[in-house]
Each structure stands twice: as C-alpha cells, then as structure tokens.
Amino acid sequence: MIERRTFVWHGVEHPAFEATGVSEGPKLSLIAGVHGCEYSSIAAVLRFVNELDTSELSGTITAVPVVSMESFRQRSPFVVPADGKNLNRSFPGSREGSYTDVLARSIYEDLIAPADVLVDLHGGDQVEGLEPFAIYEASPVEARAHAIAVAFNLPYVVREERHEGGLGGLTTSAAAEAGIPGVIAEAGGRGLLEESAVQLLVTGLRNVLRHLEMLPGKPDPPPGAQRQVGSFIWLRSTHEGWWDSAVESGDEVREGQLLGRIRNLWGDVLEELPAPRDGVILFITTSPAVASNGLLLGLGADLVVPSRA
C-alpha cells in the first residue's frame, strides 16, 4: 500500500508518500529537493515511488520529493529564499533559529531521526555540471553507509571526513550523529531534467533496496570502474569576475594542471587555478559569473579502485 500524505512545515504543505511493505523490515526515509532546482533527483523520487510494487517490499519507505518547497517554487538555487541559507549546511537545525534552521529541524524530527536509513537525492544545481557520485560521512556507522553508497553503483563513492573548512550540517551529518547510516546520491545538473540522470538514480535506489533486503533479489555488483574518493577538495575564487573554466565535470586532471582562470570584464587575467592534486572533477560551476570566494569546482582526489576479490 502506498498512502499519499503531506508534511506541513512553516505552514507549507510538502507532498509525501508512505509505502508499507508486506513484511517487517527497515524504515527508510527517501528525500530530494533539499535544493529546489535539482530536478532530476526530484523526478527520481517520484518515478521510484510510483513504480514501486509494495507486494515485494519489506519494511516501510517515507518519501518526500521536495523538502524545500519555497526553494522549488521560487527556482532558488543553493539557498532558501526566506533567509539566504543553504539548507544542506543547516542540519540538524533549531526551533529557535531562522526559517531554514526551523525547516531543517522539522525535516530532522519527521524524517531523519525516526529512520533506520536515510537516502537523500541531489544533483548539480542550476549552474553546476556534475559527474554522478554518492557521498557518506565518516562516523561509527560508516561501514553501513559505505555499503549503501557503493550499492548505488555510481562511478564515484566519496568518504567525507569532517575537517575545518569542510562540509558540515548535511542531512547525512545529522543522520550519522544520530547513529543512522545516510547517503547522498547525486546525478544530473545545470537545472535540467535529464532522463539519463533520473534513470541512474532510480536504478541505484532499487539496487540499494535489494542490498537492504527490502526488495527481493541479489543486488547488482558495483561496476568494475567504480572508484572511491578519499579527499573531496572544494576550490573557490579569490576575485570576483568571469570564470573561464578549462575543464569539465568528469575530467581527470593532474596536479598543477590549469583548471581555469578568473578574468575581469576587460578580459584581464586576475588569477589562475591550478589543480592542487591529481583527481577528477566531480562538479564544476558552469556560470561565468562568480563572486569573490565563489565556489568553482569540487575535485575528488586520492582515487582508489577497490578490490572485488
């Protein structure tokens, strides 16, 4: 049985699904639309749930295609329009904070804390090209999270270890702190609805559920070319100006290779961006317009092809 329901956060209705299986099993929370312009991931939740046969399901799935409705409605990339905060840097949130803090807390209390497993689908936002990957956080439950990330069968699996200046406040960060394995899976980008990205995420979700024994059958093994990423390095501009990239998402680069230049609007080069390490471009800003300290790209380094023996 799949029941349609709504979560009301900040007085705004967020459509949701509750899928109940025929036998006992894990409680999985499946969300997308933390960033409201990542359309392929939103579509993947809708397709997955509407194609789900609950007569084969063990456990329960609570699925919310868009958890930041105002970001979706206002086509606001990266941030919640009410206060300009990035929702995926705000978890577990606070009831005493601003709009985004309270929204994060509502999502945490209604979807993350009650779950046995969290899956959060993302993609490149309106001005991001992206190579598909799954990411999980170093934590006491990381072995379980790693196995789920691998089961998505995406080209890259990123282990994020907290450090000063690194990522924080993610849905998966809050889940890990609560002892819940969580994974963010990313595909698609540039504000486009891409069939190939939707299908990649839906296929990955089905394989994850087989891995969790929530759907019957053996999970498909990861592709032989899947690689693990030991370091996720985010590079930013020093100057405001025009970003003239020399690489694209998915490109493999060598340390010292030119990744792009920042120019002023006379065309003068203000800075050049060399690759700090060997690695792969996991995402890149596709808009030429960048601010001072603007995010330019994410480099996956310390690549390893795990042994399948």
Side-chain angles (χ1 to χ4, degrees):
M1 180 180 69
I2 299 179
E3 176 189 358
R4 296 185 178 187
R5 56 174 299 190
T6 56
F7 288 98
V8 180
W9 301 318
H10 280 299
V12 178
E13 291 189 351
H14 293 71
F17 302 89
E18 192 81 31
T20 303
V22 294
S23 59
E24 295 296 317
K27 180 176 176 58
L28 183 143
S29 286
L30 170 63
I31 65 174
V34 168
H35 298 133
C37 302
E38 297 175 359
Y39 300 119
S40 295
S41 54
I42 295 168
V45 172
L46 288 167
R47 182 177 300 180
F48 172 79
V49 174
N50 282 294
E51 292 179 351
L52 180 64
D53 182 355
T54 56
S55 70
E56 297 183 333
L57 179 67
S58 299
T60 61
I61 301 172
T62 302
V64 185
V66 178
V67 296
S68 183
M69 189 60 69
E70 289 305 299
S71 300
F72 175 76
R73 286 174 173 166
Q74 298 187 43
R75 299 174 183 164
S76 176
F78 304 113
V79 301
V80 177
D83 55 14
K85 291 184 177 180
N86 186 335
L87 178 58
N88 212 31
R89 303 293 181 273
S90 303
F91 288 92
S94 167
R95 289 293 178 189
E96 284 71 50
S98 67
Y99 185 104
T100 299
D101 301 313
V102 175
L103 177 59
R105 192 66 193 177
S106 299
I107 296 166
Y108 176 80
E109 292 177 353
D110 290 341
L111 295 170
I112 298 176
D116 298 313
V117 177
L118 171 71
V119 173
D120 181 8
L121 300 188
H122 284 253
D125 217 313
Q126 281 187 353
V127 293
E128 285 181 330
L130 180 134
E131 179 73 3
F133 65 90
I135 184 170
Y136 66 96
E137 188 154 312
S139 76
V141 294
E142 71 172 273
R144 294 163 61 198
H146 169 79
I148 295 166
V150 168
F152 260 100
N153 288 354
L154 299 175
Y156 297 93
V157 174
V158 180
R159 179 182 183 270
E160 173 66 19
E161 190 157 5
R162 292 192 198 183
H163 59 277
E164 187 175 349
L167 301 179
L170 281 67
T171 54
T172 48
S173 307
E177 288 177 358
I180 299 161
V183 170
I184 291 173
E186 306 226 15
R190 292 182 170 89
L192 301 174
L193 180 57
E194 299 172 277
E195 173 59 27
S196 59
V198 175
Q199 191 57 50
L200 199 61
L201 291 172
V202 170
T203 300
L205 273 171
R206 291 179 184 139
N207 205 54
V208 165
L209 263 67
R210 290 195 293 270
H211 163 76
L212 295 170
E213 299 182 346
M214 296 180 70
L215 287 178
K218 289 186 63 176
D220 294 331
Q226 185 185 73
R227 288 189 282 180
Q228 296 180 12
V229 176
S231 302
F232 200 10
I233 305 166
W234 290 33
L235 301 180
R236 296 180 175 272
S237 61
T238 301
H239 298 84
E240 173 187 1
W242 177 280
W243 165 231
D244 186 7
S245 64
V247 292
E248 297 181 355
S249 57
D251 284 354
E252 295 198 19
V253 299
R254 305 294 294 180
E255 182 175 346
Q257 179 178 334
L258 179 67
L259 303 179
R261 298 179 174 90
I262 303 294
R263 302 177 185 272
N264 61 26
L265 291 181
W266 286 279
D268 304 322
V269 175
L270 302 178
E271 63 181 290
E272 294 189 334
L273 189 75
R277 306 267 290 279
D278 294 353
V280 62
I281 308 300
L282 290 178
F283 70 83
I284 190 164
T285 297
T286 55
S287 166
V290 293
S292 174
N293 198 39
L295 182 59
L296 299 176
L297 58 86
L299 178 71
D302 299 327
L303 302 177
V304 176
V305 179
S307 171
R308 307 298 183 194

